[in-house]
Amino acid sequence: MMGFPKMVTPPASPPAKISRRQRRIMTNGDGFPVFLPKEVKNIKDPFARALAQRIVRIPVPLQMGNFKGCVMSSCIKPIVQQHDKSPVVLLHCFDSSCLEWRRTYPLLEQASLETWAIDVLGWGFSDLEKLPPCDAASKRHHLFELWKTYIKRPMILVGPSLGATVAVDFTATYPEAVDKLVLINANAYSEGTGALKDLPKSLAYAGVCLKTLAAFPLVKLLKSFPLRLSANVLAFSSPLSENIDWTNIGRLHCQMPWWEDAMVDFMISGGYNVASHIKHINHKTLVVCSENDQIVSNQLSVKLLCELPNAVFREVPDSGHLPHVENPKQFVKLISDFASGKIN
C-alpha cells in the first residue's frame, strides 16, 4: 500500500470576513460545522477530520419545477481566489460528498491551485429540508448557478466515476463554464437508472431502505454499512480498520435528514445518460484510469479516449477506483501538470 502524504493542517481560522464569534456559532466544540451529522466526531482519519472542519454552506439560487429559492449548498472553498489561473473544481462519485477529496485537497492547495470541492445537489451536506428536484437537470443547473455566482471563470472540472458523467453532462450544456476536463475511471456509458425510473415512489423508498435495488450499477454505495464496507474492500487495498473508517466517511452524508427523499427523487427521475454527448465535447480532456480499478473497466476509459475529440490518457499506478484517495501525490501531479499545460 502506498504511503500517504504528510498531514496538512488547514488554517486555524476562516477568512477575515467571518468573525470568531460567528465561527463559534457555526461550529460545535470539536470545530466541525454544526450542520454536519453528529457521527462526524467518530471519524478517525485526520485528513477527513481536517477537511470536514472547512465545509461551509453558501447560498445558491435555484429555480427548477415548483422550487424557487436559495439552496444553502455545501462545499470547500479556496482560501484565496487566483484570477490569473483556471480554478480546479472537484466533483465526487455517486452518492458521496466533498470529503472524498480529503487526501488530495491539501496537496492541490500546496501546488498553488485554486480549488473548490463541490457537493452535487442531492448528495453531500447541503440544507435540503425544503427539497428541490434532484434529477440530472437540477444537479446540472445547480452547479451552473454556483459557478455563475461564485467562481465566474472557466474551470478545470474534475469528476471521478459517476462524477465524470456529471462533468460531461454539465460541459455539454454549459461549455463556456469549462476550460478543461479531468475524467477519472469514468462511468460515462451507463444508461441512467434503468427500470427504476418506472417504480412507484413507495417501492423506490423501500429500495432505498432495504438496499435491494440491484438494477442500479452503483447500488453498493447506498446507506447500508455492510454494502458500503464491501464496496470499499473492492475499491481499496487497505487494512480492514482503515476501510471501516473510510466506510463511515463515505456514508456520513446518508445521515442527513433529507438523504432518502433526494435519493428516491434521483432514482425515479431516470438518472444520467450522456453517451451521445461524448463525441461533441471539444474541451481538452485528461482521461485518467487506475491500474487496479475493480469497479469500472479500464476498457471504458479507452473507449472514452477514442470518442473524445481532444483527449489524452494517463494511468495511475498502485490505486483502485479512487486514485485521489489511494495515490494522492501521483494524482495531484497529473492535475498540476495538466493545468499548467505540461500534459497536452
Side-chain angles (χ1 to χ4, degrees), residues 253-271:
H253 69 284
C254 299
Q255 312 303 325
M256 299 299 287
W258 46 259
W259 173 82
E260 185 176 297
D261 294 329
M263 180 60 70
V264 167
D265 190 78
F266 173 70
M267 290 192 299
I268 66 176
S269 74

Side-chain angles (χ1 to χ4, degrees), residues 90-287:
L90 308 172
L91 305 178
H92 54 70
C93 294
F94 167 75
D95 193 21
S96 185
S97 77
C98 56
L99 290 180
E100 190 177 297
W101 295 99
R102 56 194 177 272
R103 294 178 180 262
T104 296
Y105 194 97
L107 297 180
L108 289 169
E109 286 192 323
Q110 279 186 352
S112 300
L113 292 169
E114 176 190 330
T115 306
W116 298 71
I118 306 295
D119 279 339
V120 176
L121 181 70
W123 299 314
F125 304 103
S126 299
D127 182 0
L128 301 183
E129 286 297 306
K130 181 183 178 183
L131 190 71
C134 292
D135 59 347
S138 298
K139 293 178 191 296
R140 179 199 317 132
H141 186 58
H142 172 263
L143 178 57
F144 176 73
E145 290 294 338
L146 190 152
W147 172 83
K148 185 175 70 172
T149 305
Y150 297 99
I151 301 174
K152 302 178 182 179
R153 294 128 51 218
M155 56 188 167
I156 300 173
L157 188 57
V158 182
S161 194
L162 192 76
T165 303
V166 177
V168 169
D169 176 73
F170 179 86
T171 304
T173 306
Y174 303 110
E176 72 278 9
V178 178
D179 178 24
K180 298 179 179 179
L181 276 173
V182 180
L183 308 178
I184 309 156
N185 295 320
N187 184 26
Y189 293 99
S190 61
E191 297 182 359
T193 55
L196 297 182
K197 67 179 183 297
D198 299 321
L199 279 178
K201 270 197 173 183
S202 58
L203 291 181
Y205 274 101
V208 170
C209 295
L210 298 175
K211 326 301 181 301
T212 59
L213 295 176
F216 195 82
L218 294 180
V219 69
K220 294 179 181 179
L221 300 182
L222 291 178
K223 190 176 182 180
S224 162
F225 182 87
L227 287 179
R228 291 259 179 178
L229 179 60
S230 67
N232 269 25
V233 170
L234 190 63
F236 305 117
S237 55
S238 305
L240 179 60
S241 59
E242 193 167 60
N243 264 322
I244 289 174
D245 192 44
W246 289 2
T247 299
N248 288 327
I249 296 168
R251 67 192 292 270
L252 182 65
H253 69 284
C254 299
Q255 312 303 325
M256 299 299 287
W258 46 259
W259 173 82
E260 185 176 297
D261 294 329
M263 180 60 70
V264 167
D265 190 78
F266 173 70
M267 290 192 299
I268 66 176
S269 74
Y272 284 94
N273 193 338
V274 303
S276 62
H277 296 323
I278 293 171
K279 62 181 67 175
H280 303 296
I281 301 293
N282 294 312
H283 298 69
K284 188 68 176 179
T285 303
L286 175 61
V287 176

Side-chain angles (χ1 to χ4, degrees), residues 160-162 184-189 217-218 234 288-290 292-301 320-321:
S161 194
L162 192 76
I184 309 156
N185 295 320
N187 184 26
Y189 293 99
L218 294 180
L234 190 63
V288 178
C289 84
S290 297
N292 301 314
D293 190 354
Q294 301 298 310
I295 294 178
V296 174
S297 170
N298 289 357
Q299 293 180 359
L300 293 179
S301 294
H321 190 56

Side-chain angles (χ1 to χ4, degrees), residues 23 27-34 38 40-42 49-50 52-53:
R23 181 67 174 174
T27 60
N28 58 32
D30 294 314
F32 298 113
V34 294
K38 65 182 185 304
V40 68
K41 298 178 182 179
N42 301 326
R49 293 179 66 88
Q53 293 178 18

